[in-house]
Amino acid sequence: MQAVGNTFIKLSSITLLALSVNLVGCQTFKNLTGGKDVDAVVTAEKSEQAYYNDAIAQIDKGRYTQAIEDLTSLRTFYPTGQYAEQALLDMMYAQYASGKYETAAASAEQFIRLYPSNPQVSYAYYVRGVANMQGSSEGLKLFKLNQAERDTAYYRIAFANFQELLNKYPNSPYAPDAAQRMTFIYNQFAESEMSAANWYIEREAYVAAVNRAKWVFQYYPLSESVPDAIAVLAYSHEKLGLNDLAKEYKTLLQINYPNMLSADGRVKINTKRERSLVNKLTFGQLSRFNKDTSVATDNYSGATKTQVIRNATQLRLPSDNAAANTAAPSSTSPLRLTDDNRRVRLGAVETDSTDMTEGN
């Protein structure tokens, strides 16, 4: 009986000790056990609301690193608190604002995964795309690269992010801005092909220039580079002695883009000109989420927001496999004019007996 009693007393002591650890989390194991060199139990230094208020105050002052620390602590100590979800929204903004784009994209991805039914989840989709769109933008500053010459991997990811946002939340306040960003990325891919085409023209590699221009004509028919692509096709075919095809492309220029022909009918090609679509951007700047506002600067011109979204949903990037193929796509569709306002039928590529498969 004595053994049983002692056992009961020992068990009771252990149970009380365990309870005391939970109840006095801020005390150290050293205080509880009398031992030495035992790490303290980490606990919250402030209330949930205090962490959040301090973080927002830091964001307002542009002190994003401290804000991220406070928001991280909030989510660590109060993972199911009333500010937990909002804290992650603010954290992804602070990470983006401090230039931590990959981290911001990861936080947005985490929010989408953890809180798919949150009313503000479209903001996370939006931030994810904007952060991925920035990608390795530091490289542009260090090496003074044109946007069209940068690594396209981040752009592809961002384009897919925005596409998912438009598909799932077409009525989101961030949808118009996402649509404009999609259009910008689409134009940048086309611009990249035209940069290569102009490089080949400078070196009198006209077959390769034709292939690049065909690529734009086929895969980026809604891009701003289409007039340049037609001009390159007209110019290069003329240089190759294919005068009938050159004349056909010149006719398209005369009807659709007469400013790209000189008074005597010569094609205007300027391989040295600076192309900067960045100056034409009208999408808004990423702002901290606020339920009463959407994007910081809704500066849209021309088409309505509904039209911008509708147009963006029609855009498609060629697959990675297609992009990796340096040969121009072929088509059995003859080049011709349409009856609709005599506009060029974009996406059609002529068939001829010339083999356009030289080095590209």
Side-chain angles (χ1 to χ4, degrees), residues 1-16:
M1 296 295 293
Q2 182 65 32
V4 174
N6 290 338
T7 300
F8 178 78
I9 292 173
K10 292 179 180 178
L11 289 174
S12 298
S13 299
I14 294 174
T15 302
L16 289 173

Side-chain angles (χ1 to χ4, degrees), residues 245-299:
L245 285 172
K247 183 178 179 180
E248 200 168 353
Y249 282 114
K250 283 185 177 181
T251 300
L252 292 178
L253 289 176
Q254 182 62 48
I255 294 172
N256 297 280
Y257 313 105
N259 62 311
M260 302 200 73
L261 291 172
S262 63
D264 58 359
R266 288 182 293 108
V267 179
K268 295 180 181 180
I269 295 288
N270 184 1
T271 58
K272 298 293 186 181
R273 68 167 170 255
E274 290 291 331
R275 304 164 182 262
S276 181
L277 295 178
V278 178
N279 294 332
K280 300 179 182 180
L281 297 185
T282 57
F283 44 69
Q285 299 299 314
L286 179 64
S287 61
R288 186 173 74 83
F289 172 78
N290 186 319
K291 64 181 179 180
D292 296 324
T293 59
S294 56
V295 182
T297 51
D298 283 339
N299 181 24

Side-chain angles (χ1 to χ4, degrees), residues 206-223:
Y206 301 116
V207 171
V210 165
N211 284 339
R212 288 291 187 171
K214 280 184 177 180
W215 186 276
V216 172
F217 208 60
Q218 182 78 5
Y219 288 109
Y220 303 101
L222 302 178
S223 72

Side-chain angles (χ1 to χ4, degrees), residues 191-217:
E191 170 65 18
S192 179
E193 297 299 327
M194 290 311 303
S195 294
N198 289 328
W199 188 87
Y200 285 124
I201 285 178
E202 286 184 314
R203 288 151 183 80
E204 300 182 358
Y206 301 116
V207 171
V210 165
N211 284 339
R212 288 291 187 171
K214 280 184 177 180
W215 186 276
V216 172
F217 208 60

Side-chain angles (χ1 to χ4, degrees), residues 21-277:
V21 171
N22 291 329
L23 293 174
V24 294
C26 62
Q27 296 184 23
T28 66
F29 281 112
K30 179 178 178 181
N31 292 336
L32 291 172
T33 63
K36 296 181 180 180
D37 301 326
V38 179
D39 292 337
V41 176
V42 179
T43 59
E45 297 179 353
K46 295 180 282 189
S47 68
E48 180 185 11
Q49 185 170 358
Y51 272 124
Y52 185 74
N53 291 342
D54 289 348
I56 299 307
Q58 296 298 335
I59 289 177
D60 291 340
K61 296 176 182 178
R63 299 172 182 172
Y64 300 113
T65 300
Q66 183 58 50
I68 293 171
E69 291 181 5
D70 285 333
L71 293 170
T72 300
S73 296
L74 186 156
R75 287 184 52 79
T76 299
F77 297 118
Y78 306 97
T80 59
Q82 61 176 327
Y83 291 98
E85 296 182 28
Q86 180 63 45
L88 189 52
L89 290 172
D90 289 312
M91 187 185 300
M92 64 182 76
Y93 167 74
Q95 290 165 337
Y96 176 88
S98 61
K100 298 178 174 64
Y101 303 125
E102 292 184 2
T103 306
S107 293
E109 187 72 42
Q110 182 184 24
F111 189 94
I112 293 169
R113 186 179 67 256
L114 294 178
Y115 314 114
S117 60
N118 186 291
Q120 318 308 336
V121 69
S122 68
Y123 177 76
Y125 279 92
Y126 174 69
V127 173
R128 183 180 62 173
V130 174
N132 281 322
M133 187 175 176
Q134 290 292 336
S136 57
S137 59
E138 286 300 316
L140 299 176
K141 300 175 184 178
L142 293 174
F143 302 104
K144 297 182 179 180
L145 296 176
N146 183 283
Q147 288 274 354
E149 297 170 343
R150 63 174 288 169
D151 180 6
T152 60
Y154 286 99
Y155 270 179
R156 282 189 171 276
I157 295 172
F159 188 91
N161 293 155
F162 294 134
Q163 199 169 45
E164 186 177 6
L165 170 59
L166 294 190
N167 289 338
K168 291 185 175 181
Y169 306 98
N171 297 321
S172 166
Y174 307 100
D177 188 82
Q180 285 203 327
R181 290 175 185 270
M182 283 180 66
T183 303
F184 171 77
I185 292 171
Y186 180 84
N187 281 319
Q188 286 293 286
F189 273 94
E191 170 65 18
S192 179
E193 297 299 327
M194 290 311 303
S195 294
N198 289 328
W199 188 87
Y200 285 124
I201 285 178
E202 286 184 314
R203 288 151 183 80
E204 300 182 358
Y206 301 116
V207 171
V210 165
N211 284 339
R212 288 291 187 171
K214 280 184 177 180
W215 186 276
V216 172
F217 208 60
Q218 182 78 5
Y219 288 109
Y220 303 101
L222 302 178
S223 72
E224 295 179 0
S225 293
V226 166
D228 293 320
I230 298 174
V232 166
L233 288 169
Y235 181 85
S236 297
H237 278 112
E238 191 170 56
K239 290 294 184 179
L240 291 168
L242 302 173
N243 294 323
D244 289 343
L245 285 172
K247 183 178 179 180
E248 200 168 353
Y249 282 114
K250 283 185 177 181
T251 300
L252 292 178
L253 289 176
Q254 182 62 48
I255 294 172
N256 297 280
Y257 313 105
N259 62 311
M260 302 200 73
L261 291 172
S262 63
D264 58 359
R266 288 182 293 108
V267 179
K268 295 180 181 180
I269 295 288
N270 184 1
T271 58
K272 298 293 186 181
R273 68 167 170 255
E274 290 291 331
R275 304 164 182 262
S276 181
L277 295 178

